[in-house]
Amino acid sequence: MTLRTRGTRLFVATTALAGLLAGPALAADQPTVEVLHWWTSGGEAAAARALKQDFEAHGGKWVDAPVAGGGGDAAMTVLRSRVLAGDPPGAVQLKGPAIANWAEEGVLADLDPVAKAENWNAKIPPVLQTVLKPEGDYVAVPVNIHRVNWLWVNPAVLAKVGAEVPKNWDEFNATADKLKAAGIVPIAHGGQPWQDATIFEAVVLGIGGADFYREAIVEGNEKALTSDTMVKVFDQMRKIRGYVDPNFSGREWNLSTAMVINGQAAMQIMGDWAKGEFSAAGKVPGKDYLCAEVPGNLAYSLNSDSFAMFKVKDKNAQAGQQLLAKLIMGDKFQEEFNLLKGSIPASTVVDLSKFDACAQKSKADLEATQKDNALVLSFAHKMALPGNVEGAIVDVVTQHFNSNMSSADAVKKLAEAVKLAKG
C-alpha cells in the first residue's frame, strides 16, 4: 500500500468517524422529557399514551418512567430518592399540597413564561390556580378536573321501588329504606379508608355546604368540627353504613361500580372516574345510568391531576418541559385525554361537544359553583390538606364507619385528631 493510499484511507476513516460522532449529537438536539407517573392501568394508561404521542408528534423525545401501585405513594418514594441523588425526572405527576411542598424546597422549574404566553390565567379556575402556583409562579400544569361528589344511579333498580333520583337527604334515606326492604343493596361501597372519606366529604358538602366545609375541614375550626352540623354529618354516615352490603370490607371501588352496572345495587357515591366503568360496559348515560350531584347543597368537590416540572440543567430537557407544558394545556390534548379519563378539561375554554351528558353537567356545575363560591378542593383526594391532617380526619371517619361509635363521640375525636395533627 502506497503512502498516498494509506493517507486517503486515513482521511476517509477520520471523516466517517467524525460523522458518527456528529450524528448522535444532532439527534440528541431535541426537546426531551422524562415523565414519572402512576397511570399504569386501563384508561389511565391510554390517556398517558395520548400525551406521549402528542409530544412526539411535535418533535419531542418522551422517556417513560411509570411506577405502579399505592395510588402514587410508590412513585413519590422514587421521586424523593431521585431528587436527593441530584437526578430528578423532568416532569412528575403531582397534586395538591405536594406541589407546594416541593416548591418550598426550591426544586421546581418556573413555568410562568409558557403560562403567560398561553394565557393560563384565563383558562384555569382560580381555585385550581392556587394549587398550581403556591408561591405566585406556575410550577405545575393541570391535565384534568375530576368531580368527586357524584351520585351514580341505576334507574331501572330505582324503578323497582317506584323511586327517582333523591334530591335531599330525607328522600335519599326514604329511597334507601325502600330498596333495603325489597332486598336490594341501596349503596355500593368498598370498605377502604379513601372510599369512606370520599363519602364523608360528599356528605359534609351536602349537609353543611361549601362554607361549612372550608371552615371545618380546610381550616380545622374546632367550633365547626364539634358543631350540630357535623353531628348531623356523622348521623347520615351511620345511616349510609346501614345501606351497604355485608361484604363491603376491602372491596375495590370499581367492583362497587360494577354492582350498580349489574343491578346488584342502586347507587354509588364516587368520583367521575366511575364513569369509565359504565362506558367500558357499553352503558349509555341518561339511559342505563344517571349521574347526579350528591343530595343537599349544590357544591363541587374538585380533584385534579397535574404535572410539576423539576429543575434540570440540560437544555434539551428544559426545552422538553416547556413544550410538554404547552401541549398539556392545549385544546387537542385536553380533549383527547379527558375523553379517555372520564374527567373534564382543566382548560375551561375547550369545546365539550364530543363529551357525554355527565361531562356536560360537570362543566355546567363547575361554572355555577364557581360563581356561587361553592367550588372547593377535595380533601379526600389529597387536594386540600397536608397529609398528616388529611390522615387524621380519615382515621376518625373510618373508625366511626366501622364501629358503633356515636356521632357525639365522633365529633370530639375528630376535633382532637385535627388539633393534634396541626400541632
Side-chain angles (χ1 to χ4, degrees):
M1 183 182 297
T2 66
L3 180 61
R4 181 175 179 178
T5 301
R6 287 200 304 271
T8 300
R9 290 186 176 180
L10 179 60
F11 173 80
V12 171
T14 304
T15 303
L17 178 59
L20 288 173
L21 291 174
L26 291 172
D29 189 18
Q30 65 178 140
T32 303
V33 66
E34 181 184 7
V35 184
L36 178 67
H37 64 92
W38 60 88
W39 287 327
T40 58
S41 62
E44 291 181 335
R49 283 195 298 274
L51 179 56
K52 176 178 182 288
Q53 290 166 1
D54 197 17
F55 186 73
E56 291 176 340
H58 284 78
K61 178 182 178 182
W62 176 288
V63 180
D64 205 35
V67 180
D73 292 341
M76 293 305 96
T77 300
V78 171
L79 174 61
R80 174 65 61 179
S81 65
R82 290 280 302 270
V83 172
L84 289 174
D87 180 34
V92 180
Q93 186 183 353
L94 284 181
K95 61 193 296 186
I99 295 173
N101 292 341
W102 285 110
E104 288 175 5
E105 295 194 25
V107 295
L108 297 186
D110 182 10
L111 296 181
D112 255 13
V114 66
K116 290 177 180 176
E118 300 297 319
N119 201 16
W120 288 4
N121 281 347
K123 299 177 180 179
I124 301 172
V127 69
L128 184 53
Q129 289 183 32
T130 63
V131 175
L132 304 170
K133 45 179 182 178
E135 297 180 350
D137 298 324
Y138 279 100
V139 291
V141 55
V143 298
N144 61 1
I145 288 176
H146 280 296
R147 185 181 190 174
V148 176
N149 57 329
W150 276 116
L151 181 67
W152 303 95
V153 180
N154 186 319
V157 175
L158 286 191
K160 291 180 180 180
V161 295
E164 296 181 351
V165 178
K167 294 182 174 60
N168 56 56
W169 290 108
D170 287 340
E171 290 182 7
F172 180 93
N173 294 333
T175 297
D177 287 337
K178 289 180 182 179
L179 290 162
K180 191 173 181 179
I184 301 169
V185 177
I187 302 295
H189 178 57
Q192 297 173 331
W194 73 267
Q195 294 191 59
D196 297 339
T198 296
I199 292 181
F200 177 76
E201 177 173 282
V203 174
V204 170
L205 285 168
I207 290 177
D211 287 340
F212 176 76
Y213 174 87
R214 293 188 192 96
E215 188 178 4
I217 303 301
V218 180
E219 298 170 14
N221 180 280
E222 185 174 0
K223 185 176 180 180
L225 288 170
T226 57
S227 65
D228 290 342
T229 300
M230 190 60 79
V231 170
K232 291 178 182 177
V233 168
F234 279 103
D235 285 345
Q236 183 58 45
M237 290 296 292
R238 176 63 64 228
K239 283 273 192 182
I240 292 173
R241 173 64 178 84
Y243 297 143
V244 305
D245 68 289
N247 300 315
F248 78 101
S249 183
R251 179 188 293 137
E252 295 293 335
W253 69 269
N254 57 310
L255 299 181
S256 296
T257 306
M259 291 174 65
V260 179
I261 293 172
N262 299 329
Q264 296 171 293
M267 300 175 283
Q268 181 187 23
I269 295 173
M270 184 53 62
D272 52 21
W273 44 90
K275 187 173 62 174
E277 300 299 309
F278 286 98
S279 298
K283 302 302 180 182
V284 179
K287 177 186 175 184
D288 302 313
Y289 69 97
L290 305 175
C291 50
E293 62 269 10
V294 170
N297 294 288
L298 177 62
Y300 194 113
S301 177
L302 184 151
N303 180 26
S304 177
D305 296 300
S306 59
F307 279 99
M309 307 298 175
F310 280 68
K311 289 181 179 178
V312 290
K313 296 179 181 179
D314 183 79
K315 296 297 182 183
N316 288 327
Q318 292 173 0
Q321 291 176 327
Q322 297 295 311
L323 175 60
L324 183 65
K326 178 180 178 179
L327 293 176
I328 284 175
M329 275 301 290
D331 292 357
K332 179 179 182 293
F333 169 74
Q334 288 281 324
E335 178 186 274
E336 290 179 353
F337 179 90
N338 288 290
L339 282 170
L340 290 166
K341 191 74 161 57
S343 42
I344 63 172
S347 172
T348 57
V349 302
V350 175
D351 177 29
L352 296 193
S353 59
K354 294 182 181 179
F355 287 73
D356 62 32
C358 293
Q360 302 276 357
K361 177 172 173 53
S362 183
K363 175 67 176 297
D365 286 352
L366 176 70
E367 293 175 347
T369 54
Q370 192 167 233
K371 290 178 182 177
D372 295 339
N373 198 30
L375 174 61
V376 301
L377 297 173
S378 169
F379 96 86
H381 294 271
K382 304 183 185 302
M383 290 294 295
L385 297 173
N388 59 329
V389 180
E390 171 216 328
I393 295 174
V394 174
D395 285 348
V396 174
V397 169
T398 296
Q399 287 172 24
H400 173 266
F401 199 78
N402 292 283
S403 71
N404 293 319
M405 185 189 299
S406 69
S407 296
D409 287 341
V411 297
K412 291 178 183 177
K413 284 184 175 291
L414 183 62
E416 291 170 358
V418 169
K419 184 177 181 180
L420 182 63
K422 292 176 71 175

